[in-house]
Amino acid sequence: MHIDVNNAFLSWYAIWRLKNGEALDIREIPAVIGGDESKRSGIVLAKSNLAKKFGIVTGEPLYQARKKCPEIKVFQGDFKVYREYSNKLFNLLAEYKDKIERFSIDECFLDMTEYLMNSKLMDKAVEIQKRVNEELEFTVNIGLSSNKLLAKMASDFEKPNKIHTLYPNEIEKKMWPLPIGELFMLGRKTIPKLYNMHIKTIGDLAKCDKNELIKKFGKHGKIMWEYANGIDDSKVIYKYEPPKSIGNSTTLAKDVQNLDELNRILLTLADHVTFRLRKYHMVAGVVNVGLRTKDFKDYSHQRKLDFTTSNTKEIYSMAKKLLNELYKGEPIRLVSLKVDKLSDKNETQLSLFDTSENKKQEKLDETLDKIKEKYGYSSITRAGKLGIEKNIKLK
DNA sequence: TCTGGGGTCCTAGGACCC
DNA sequence: TCTGGGGTCCTAGGACCC
């Protein structure tokens, strides 16, 4: 069973507004959840059903959405609200299954094999949908099938508040007529290539020669052929999986063409990334710094550390080195910092160079983290950063 | 006032080893 | 008798997801 919240960010924000005394339900008007245009993050993150009728799509710039529908209302939303409602949904679902794969903030898979066997699966889906409607006051689409890919494809059929099945014997009728762009894992780069090969529907793709696709697209070719044929043997992953990488990036309100300023932005990112890393009790083995120019060219440098660490100063020191190698002096739109090759702190061998200076640094991080946990992330900051943070936004 | 932010996985090429 | 073959590790870039 795949469960997908309809217009998640917008629905959840709408409910939260109503609970906080607002009269207008933004689900009933042409509305979107969007970024902040003055900070150059003005894109559509979610849309109401009425906004969808105007052809507004997720990910497009707000100004384009406004061209499609001049009276569109834009709301900024609130990530804390999303997390709260997401948790409510997963707590409700936990009453049905201990095995839940949280696929994203608003999507999950449930392994309902035992219900599939005694053909009670549809009854369960109806019951879950009804409870979500009544108790949580939003709607979900539910997809049912014999594997994850088909269940996910099914939940994407007609919306909102619908339950669909897509069993193997329904593939030809329900999935093959759809345009290839509807298939999971076919994105904006692959679709035009397939179109050039006169492959326009999922059915066209399914009937292709598998080996030809592999020759042309490698591993991805194999996956797209299998998905088009409804083949997927992946399991519902219900165990906690620690993150493999942690990163933060920021689009700057104005392009920056100054290495010192980029370094200060990087320090802010380093503070944030390492704070999150330490919250997971993990250490990193690789540091990656990326830049996006004003023409949307992305480039990055990464380097392995001689040791693993979660210390702000050490990560920042490497990040700074990488930025200095990377930066060629052009106007920069976005700066990113990512740590990779993560491992559990307690399972990591102590560095041979675990000096008293390192211990002091670790103590400093710990102390600052505690203050941030207790009084809020921005309760304490660096003197050198005061005044520049208006060009950066971090949640 | 044109184009977010956080992730995972894959590929290609180069360095280096035996 | 100019330059094999197999492997690992590392880095840069890109595709895709929500």
Side-chain angles (χ1 to χ4, degrees):
Chain A
M1 178 183 293
H2 180 252
I3 302 179
D4 191 339
V5 178
N6 300 127
N7 315 330
F9 287 0
L10 188 123
S11 300
W12 288 337
Y13 191 60
I15 301 166
W16 179 84
R17 276 172 48 95
L18 295 172
K19 289 246 155 68
N20 284 273
E22 298 281 349
L24 179 68
D25 187 339
I26 63 171
R27 288 173 291 188
E28 308 297 327
I29 58 166
V32 297
I33 301 292
D36 183 345
E37 285 166 299
S38 71
K39 290 184 175 143
R40 301 200 298 181
S41 58
I43 61 155
V44 174
L45 297 167
K47 58 214 176 288
S48 68
N49 293 327
L50 283 165
K52 199 178 289 183
K53 290 220 169 82
F54 285 91
I56 290 167
V57 293
T58 303
E60 75 178 329
L62 290 173
Y63 100 108
Q64 237 175 62
R66 229 176 255 112
K67 273 200 272 186
K68 293 175 180 174
C69 174
E71 69 267 33
I72 192 89
K73 290 276 186 294
V74 180
F75 299 88
Q76 299 251 142
D78 181 348
F79 216 82
K80 271 198 273 200
V81 171
Y82 308 150
R83 214 160 10 220
E84 183 191 329
Y85 282 92
S86 175
N87 287 339
K88 284 184 186 188
L89 174 64
F90 288 102
N91 287 337
L92 187 152
L93 295 175
E95 295 179 30
Y96 290 85
K97 275 314 294 189
D98 49 344
K99 294 187 178 187
I100 294 179
E101 177 174 347
R102 212 165 167 161
F103 191 66
S104 73
I105 194 159
D106 71 330
E107 273 183 51
C108 67
F109 292 98
L110 274 65
D111 182 344
M112 304 293 265
T113 310
E114 74 246 41
Y115 298 108
L116 183 65
M117 296 308 179
N118 61 21
S119 63
K120 290 276 190 294
L121 187 53
M122 181 54 89
D123 296 348
K124 279 289 153 194
V126 171
E127 185 187 327
I128 287 172
Q129 187 182 47
K130 189 160 171 266
R131 282 196 59 195
V132 173
N133 289 172
E134 286 171 4
E135 294 170 33
L136 304 179
E137 295 170 35
F138 54 85
T139 63
V140 291
N141 260 40
I142 300 182
L144 304 175
S145 189
S146 48
N147 69 42
K148 284 167 73 179
L149 182 269
L150 290 174
K152 182 163 168 58
M153 291 300 296
S155 69
D156 216 27
F157 293 162
E158 197 195 354
K159 294 169 186 173
N161 211 22
K162 294 274 196 303
I163 301 170
H164 300 284
T165 63
L166 178 56
Y167 291 108
N169 64 354
E170 300 176 290
I171 290 174
E172 195 172 340
K173 189 161 160 262
K174 290 187 177 178
M175 189 167 84
W176 280 2
L178 299 175
I180 44 168
E182 300 284 310
L183 188 64
F184 182 63
M185 286 306 282
L186 286 190
R188 63 188 178 93
K189 293 288 183 180
T190 312
I191 292 162
K193 289 179 192 163
L194 291 173
Y195 257 77
N196 284 338
M197 297 162 71
H198 307 288
I199 299 166
K200 296 195 163 49
T201 66
I202 297 179
D204 293 341
L205 184 61
K207 286 169 225 151
C208 274
D209 183 68
K210 185 181 180 183
N211 291 320
E212 286 297 312
L213 287 169
I214 293 171
K215 218 187 275 175
K216 198 160 162 67
F217 296 100
K219 216 170 218 171
H220 190 213
K222 179 172 182 276
I223 290 172
M224 64 175 91
W225 185 86
E226 288 176 349
Y227 282 3
N229 283 284
I231 300 166
D232 171 33
D233 59 7
S234 64
K235 298 269 173 293
V236 175
I237 301 164
Y238 57 94
K239 289 198 306 278
Y240 166 77
E241 296 265 4
K244 295 188 167 65
S245 67
I246 294 175
N248 284 115
S249 62
T250 184
T251 293
L252 306 164
K254 284 194 180 117
D255 291 334
V256 169
Q257 199 170 3
N258 172 310
L259 186 56
D260 285 340
E261 196 175 341
L262 292 174
N263 269 314
R264 286 195 295 272
I265 294 158
L266 200 57
L267 177 56
T268 303
L269 291 170
D271 273 325
H272 206 231
V273 166
T274 55
F275 174 71
R276 291 174 58 210
L277 182 62
R278 292 188 294 265
K279 255 172 103 165
Y280 282 108
H281 303 290
M282 295 185 93
V283 286
V286 171
V287 179
N288 182 307
V289 172
L291 296 174
R292 173 175 292 162
T293 66
K294 71 176 206 304
D295 317 307
F296 272 77
K297 294 264 188 299
D298 290 324
Y299 57 107
S300 65
H301 269 5
Q302 71 173 55
R303 194 163 301 154
K304 201 170 171 283
L305 295 160
D306 295 327
F307 42 84
T308 61
T309 182
S310 62
N311 174 242
T312 304
K313 196 176 171 185
E314 286 178 332
I315 302 269
Y316 175 58
S317 153
M318 177 57 85
K320 206 170 149 179
K321 213 179 285 178
L322 291 164
L323 175 68
N324 285 264
E325 291 172 13
L326 192 60
Y327 187 53
K328 300 285 185 283
E330 65 278 62
I332 295 303
R333 179 189 175 89
L334 171 145
V335 184
S336 74
L337 174 64
K338 181 174 73 165
V339 290
D340 221 318
K341 292 276 179 303
L342 306 188
S343 53
D344 194 291
K345 189 182 176 212
N346 300 319
E347 287 166 21
T348 307
Q349 217 179 356
L350 289 174
S351 165
L352 286 173
F353 310 101
D354 212 3
T355 59
S356 61
E357 171 60 22
N358 289 353
K359 291 260 189 303
K360 270 162 75 182
Q361 282 299 326
E362 199 171 313
K363 196 80 202 153
L364 175 62
D365 286 335
E366 236 173 70
T367 307
L368 292 173
D369 289 351
K370 273 187 200 152
I371 294 169
K372 287 171 175 171
E373 293 285 1
K374 193 163 176 190
Y375 300 104
Y377 186 80
S378 47
S379 59
I380 183 158
T381 189
R382 294 166 187 276
K385 282 194 329 200
L386 290 169
I388 67 149
E389 279 174 340
K390 58 182 178 299
N391 198 18
I392 311 173
K393 50 193 183 301
L394 286 170
K395 286 187 192 95

